[in-house]
Amino acid sequence: MASIAGVYTALSGLNAHRRVLDVTAHNVANQATPGFHRQRVDLKAGGLGAVAAVFAGSGQQVGGVVADSVTRIVDQLAEDRYIRESALQAGTQALSNDMNRIELSFAEPSDQGIASLLDGFWGGWTDLATMPGDLATRSQVLERAQTLVDGIRVAAADLQQVATTAQESLVGLAADANDLSSRIAQLNKAILGNPNAANDLIDQRGEALRELAQLTGAVARPSANGTIDVSIGGRTLVSGDIVQRLNGAGGVLTWANDASNVDAGPSRAASLKNTIEVVVPKYLTNLDTVAATLVTDVNALHNAGFAQDGVTTALDFFEPGPPVTAASLALSVDVVGQPENIAAAAAGGASFDGDLALSMAAVADSVTGADTEYRTLIGNLGVETREAFRRESIQENVTQSARATADSVGGVSVDEEMANLMSAQRAYEASARVLTTMDELLGVLMNTGRVGR
Amino acid sequence: MRVTNSMVVNSTLRDLNLSLSRLQDTQTDLTTGRKIRRGSDDPTGASAAMTIRNQLRRAEHEARSLDDAQAWLSSADTALVTGLEVLGAVKETAIRAGNTGSGNALSREALAKSVENMRSDLLTLANTKYLGRPIFNGTAAPNADGNAYDAAGVYGGNGAAVSREIAPNTTVAVNMTGEEIFGVQGAPFGNVFDVLEELASAIRANDTTRMATAQTELETATTRWSASTAEIGSRGARVEQTAFRAADTDLMLRETLSKLEDVDIAAALMSVKANENAYTAALTAAAKVIPPSLVDYLR
């Protein structure tokens, strides 16, 4: 009887180690799969009756090995941290991308930016002061002014474009987030239905959750039954297999069912919102101030001066608004196409007086003038962009270390798998050897009658 | 800490990436020749660079303004110096006329004619133009003939100064008005042209009293003329000084800008080399670290 049981003990060894080999193969195959965590077969010694053997029954018998569960090895704390840091990184990355675009749209310091256009504009007035009677000189003041106006308007449009791009990308972001949350819900359902073979599903769900967190800053809370509930800003997005939809149309991320705003945590969505609502409006306002200062300063002087005829006065140079913004900046109808209406003279009746043009050129040096405002804008932009770059690079390091920590527990080490492979192979061989031995033993037993004969 | 293959791959990739991006940075420094290409490269430096660029462009316009100021002043100077010679000749003629006493009418007529000719020479000088604009006309538009003075010696200009900005917040008047140099018109002894007209008429009339008065007035006009010449000359010297200084300032600004923005080629080359070495080393290390695993040693 015992001998027969031994056959089954050996068989349990063969089965268990085949399983170990399978799982090892699975690990090796998935060593580069994103979100995959290595798995281990839990081997335990089978007690009495644990072996499905008909004849196992009496006395203290050994029962072979049991391999009925496969554990996914994971440090949940490290995983959660990795997800959180990934979300933060997505946020810092989006911000630094936007800052980069804003900075490039100003192209300073260079000989092509608004600063140089401003210099050219004031220089036009210096030239006009030299030759107030020359129509060509007057025309080039207008030309330079128009170039400056175009430059400022283009910069405003570029800035606005950054916000528009962010708004448009919210639409795609909402679609991705909806897709991911549906996937999480489906996986929740699958895991609930198949709790014992869910390791790979959990890995897939973890990866989907990490992507979702990067997009929206979503956080997960595990339930007792193995599913997870996902929420954004305290409001539930996925509960079991029930999903709330997000909507990214109209430049804001909203909940589809009641159109209230999504309160996204640090993430790509939060960063886009910041770009749309804070960063771009701030620099647009700054640029508006530059334009408004320019218009106020120039018009105030220009109104006091006299046109070439020495009589016409109180003319505007720029369209005075109200209110002047960078996007609406324009030359006044008083001077467009009428260079003779540019006021170069400070006194009436003196066609060759260039003193007002001289005073105008000196506005460039005003500490409260457009040039100073613009330089301040560029200075602030430089500091803020640098800060965004630095934060991104720091966050990248932090995320990398969080990933390494999580990976250190759950990642596949090929060396280790090879060692496992070797030991499982040897164990399999040994079990086979035991089976052969049992067979021989039984053979001896069966042939006993003949020996006595 | 347990080390897994993906950790090794990730960190190696990241290190390679960092190393490569540093190499790219220094290479861009070298190819563009500039270390501040945008505000965030160095906000403080960029801000200073913008201010200096602004001053440089400003200086360009001022340089044009300076050239113009020099041209105005030297035109005025030439005209006035020539005028002084003419005035000297007038004086000689006046003295000769006084000495001739009641000489014959023919010679008096010749002397009077010569005074009148010199008067019209002076009028031509008073109508000296620069770029088509009479320089002793103030800021007013020229008269119908495009001149400051008409044939009768009537001034058509005003008393305003023509200013040029020759340095930041520094302007200089590059003209003197007709009335400042030649005097205010009014018979019989207003401006220098009136004086000469009176002198010619006195010579013709052989009126020694009038001739003597005219000679005194001529003396006054000459003094005023030469004072103006000196004034114009000293302004010219001032503008010239400023031009020298502007050239110095320009050089200094360019040097500062270059220090701020431009790459130290030698240092950048060294840094490229160093980064290149680091990158090659990282690649070599990666090539050694990534492939081997127990797989290679199991037979």
Side-chain angles (χ1 to χ4, degrees):
Chain A
M1 300 279 260
S3 298
I4 298 294
V7 171
Y8 286 100
T9 306
L11 180 61
S12 81
L14 286 176
N15 282 337
H17 292 296
R18 263 268 308 288
R19 186 99 194 255
V20 172
L21 286 173
D22 283 350
V23 169
T24 303
H26 186 61
N27 284 344
V28 171
N30 281 302
Q31 59 176 310
T33 308
F36 180 77
H37 290 82
R38 66 191 165 117
Q39 298 175 10
R40 282 286 166 269
V41 178
D42 299 323
L43 295 177
K44 62 175 186 253
L48 191 62
V51 184
V54 184
F55 298 105
S58 64
Q60 180 65 34
Q61 301 279 345
V62 283
V65 61
V66 184
D68 54 2
S69 71
V70 177
T71 307
R72 170 175 164 272
I73 296 174
V74 62
D75 175 351
Q76 199 51 50
L77 216 61
E79 293 299 323
D80 290 349
R81 182 165 161 250
Y82 177 36
I83 289 177
R84 210 165 46 240
E85 301 298 351
S86 295
L88 277 170
Q89 193 194 346
T92 55
Q93 206 166 23
L95 178 65
S96 85
N97 280 347
D98 287 341
M99 292 306 297
N100 186 27
R101 275 197 58 191
I102 293 176
E103 198 177 51
L104 287 181
S105 73
F106 280 106
E108 298 284 2
S110 73
D111 289 326
Q112 296 86 39
I114 291 176
S116 110
L117 296 181
L118 273 167
D119 291 339
F121 173 66
W122 301 123
W125 287 97
T126 312
D127 290 347
L128 180 61
T130 318
M131 304 182 87
D134 184 25
L135 207 62
T137 312
R138 287 175 170 268
S139 295
Q140 60 91 28
V141 171
L142 278 188
E143 285 305 318
R144 288 176 185 210
Q146 189 59 53
T147 316
L148 173 64
V149 165
D150 292 348
I152 291 178
R153 291 177 76 143
V154 166
D158 279 357
L159 260 179
Q160 194 56 58
Q161 188 58 41
V162 173
T164 312
T165 311
Q167 287 176 339
E168 281 164 2
S169 62
L170 271 181
V171 177
L173 186 143
D176 284 354
N178 285 336
D179 187 37
L180 286 165
S181 43
S182 303
R183 222 155 80 204
I184 291 175
Q186 281 164 11
L187 287 163
N188 264 344
K189 200 172 167 185
I191 289 163
L192 194 61
N194 195 4
N196 293 326
N199 285 343
D200 294 331
L201 299 177
I202 293 173
D203 281 343
Q204 285 174 30
R205 187 180 62 185
E207 194 58 13
L209 176 65
R210 197 172 67 81
E211 282 174 35
L212 187 62
Q214 285 183 330
L215 293 180
T216 62
V219 290
R221 198 162 38 81
S223 292
N225 59 9
T227 62
I228 55 170
D229 292 341
V230 181
S231 61
I232 302 175
R235 192 167 157 175
T236 305
L237 178 71
V238 181
S239 170
D241 59 353
I242 303 161
V243 182
Q244 298 293 322
R245 317 285 294 174
L246 299 181
N247 183 5
V252 273
L253 195 61
T254 52
W255 296 93
N257 59 353
D258 64 0
S260 61
N261 286 359
V262 175
D263 180 19
S267 62
R268 199 167 142 67
S271 181
L272 288 176
K273 184 178 174 202
N274 182 48
T275 299
I276 297 165
E277 291 174 5
V278 180
V279 178
V280 169
K282 182 171 84 184
Y283 287 108
L284 262 183
T285 310
N286 285 350
L287 199 58
D288 286 347
T289 312
V290 171
T293 312
L294 180 73
V295 171
T296 315
D297 290 354
V298 171
N299 276 355
L301 261 180
H302 199 264
N303 268 291
F306 292 84
Q308 195 171 17
D309 61 13
V311 181
T312 318
T313 184
L315 297 170
D316 281 327
F317 189 80
F318 289 111
E319 214 38 70
V324 177
T325 63
S328 71
L329 181 66
L331 290 183
S332 159
V333 288
D334 292 346
V335 294
V336 168
Q338 306 172 77
E340 67 278 5
N341 272 355
I342 297 174
S351 322
F352 283 84
D353 180 8
D355 281 359
L356 190 103
L358 262 191
S359 315
M360 193 70 91
V363 172
D365 291 334
S366 160
V367 286
T368 54
D371 290 61
T372 313
E373 292 282 354
Y374 182 68
R375 275 201 293 275
T376 312
L377 188 168
I378 294 300
N380 288 342
L381 178 62
V383 171
E384 206 172 324
T385 310
R386 195 179 168 84
E387 178 65 22
F389 286 170
R390 197 164 50 214
R391 282 233 298 275
E392 186 197 8
S393 115
I394 291 172
Q395 186 57 43
E396 208 177 316
N397 281 329
V398 172
T399 312
Q400 190 67 26
S401 105
R403 179 178 185 180
T405 312
D407 226 9
S408 148
V409 176
V412 177
S413 159
V414 175
D415 293 353
E416 199 177 284
E417 297 306 324
M418 287 304 117
N420 287 344
L421 188 74
M422 209 163 63
S423 86
Q425 192 184 352
R426 293 298 173 214
Y428 185 86
E429 283 169 14
S431 295
R433 182 77 202 143
V434 170
L435 194 60
T436 317
T437 311
M438 286 299 166
D439 184 38
E440 282 170 6
L441 281 180
L442 285 174
V444 171
L445 194 62
M446 304 256 182
N447 293 331
T448 309
R450 280 188 204 166
V451 175
R453 211 178 278 169
Chain B
M1 194 182 192
R2 184 174 169 270
V3 176
T4 68
N5 293 61
S6 62
M7 279 165 74
V8 173
V9 171
N10 282 337
S11 68
T12 311
L13 269 181
R14 191 174 141 66
D15 291 347
L16 280 178
N17 215 339
L18 273 179
S19 185
L20 192 59
S21 92
R22 268 199 297 269
L23 183 60
Q24 190 206 9
D25 269 358
T26 44
Q27 223 144 29
T28 319
D29 280 355
L30 208 54
T31 45
T32 57
R34 286 174 60 188
K35 59 186 176 200
I36 302 180
R37 294 181 296 278
R38 45 198 300 191
S40 56
D41 287 341
D42 175 2
T44 325
S47 176
M50 276 178 77
T51 313
I52 294 175
R53 274 166 187 280
N54 169 279
Q55 286 171 347
L56 270 175
R57 285 185 283 249
R58 186 86 193 275
E60 264 171 45
H61 291 290
E62 264 150 15
R64 278 218 288 282
S65 204
L66 261 174
D67 286 346
D68 187 71
Q70 277 178 320
W72 269 74
L73 288 168
S74 74
S75 307
D77 193 54
T78 314
L80 292 186
V81 168
T82 316
L84 274 180
E85 284 165 18
V86 176
L87 279 175
V90 172
K91 208 160 140 189
E92 257 174 49
T93 315
I95 292 169
R96 192 129 48 91
N99 288 349
T100 321
S102 52
N104 63 34
L106 213 63
S107 69
R108 282 204 308 275
E109 177 61 26
L111 286 171
K113 266 273 181 315
S114 122
V115 168
E116 275 168 3
N117 282 343
M118 286 188 280
R119 176 176 174 274
S120 73
D121 285 353
L122 288 182
L123 264 178
T124 311
L125 287 174
N127 283 330
T128 303
K129 298 187 186 68
Y130 175 65
L131 295 178
R133 180 175 165 190
I135 57 175
F136 300 120
N137 200 35
T139 58
N143 65 20
D145 306 327
N147 288 333
Y149 283 88
D150 63 11
V154 176
Y155 184 48
N158 61 18
V162 173
S163 303
R164 293 285 176 268
E165 192 180 52
I166 53 169
N169 300 320
T170 313
T171 56
V172 64
V174 295
N175 73 325
M176 288 189 78
T177 63
E179 293 189 331
E180 279 175 316
I181 305 169
F182 313 118
V184 183
Q185 198 195 16
F189 299 118
N191 61 24
V192 66
F193 312 111
D194 298 332
V195 174
L196 261 61
E197 203 172 352
E198 171 66 14
L199 181 63
S201 135
I203 291 173
R204 240 182 227 116
N206 199 16
D207 184 336
T208 43
T209 327
R210 272 172 65 201
M211 268 161 63
T213 325
Q215 257 176 305
T216 322
E217 286 299 324
L218 180 65
E219 210 51 55
T220 317
T222 312
T223 313
R224 193 166 51 218
W225 189 298
S226 67
S228 304
T229 314
E231 170 73 32
I232 291 285
S234 73
R235 283 189 206 164
R238 181 176 158 214
V239 170
E240 200 163 340
Q241 273 299 317
T242 313
F244 280 134
R245 213 167 43 237
D248 280 355
T249 314
D250 191 68
L251 193 67
M252 186 207 68
L253 284 175
R254 281 181 198 286
E255 206 176 293
T256 317
L257 185 66
S258 166
K259 268 187 197 150
L260 269 174
E261 282 191 341
D262 292 352
V263 167
D264 177 350
I265 300 286
L269 276 173
M270 290 302 287
S271 143
V272 163
K273 204 68 211 159
N275 283 320
E276 203 179 303
N277 285 343
Y279 182 56
T280 321
L283 276 178
T284 317
K288 280 198 162 35
V289 166
I290 292 181
S293 74
L294 203 50
V295 182
D296 301 317
Y297 301 98
L298 288 176
R299 292 284 174 260

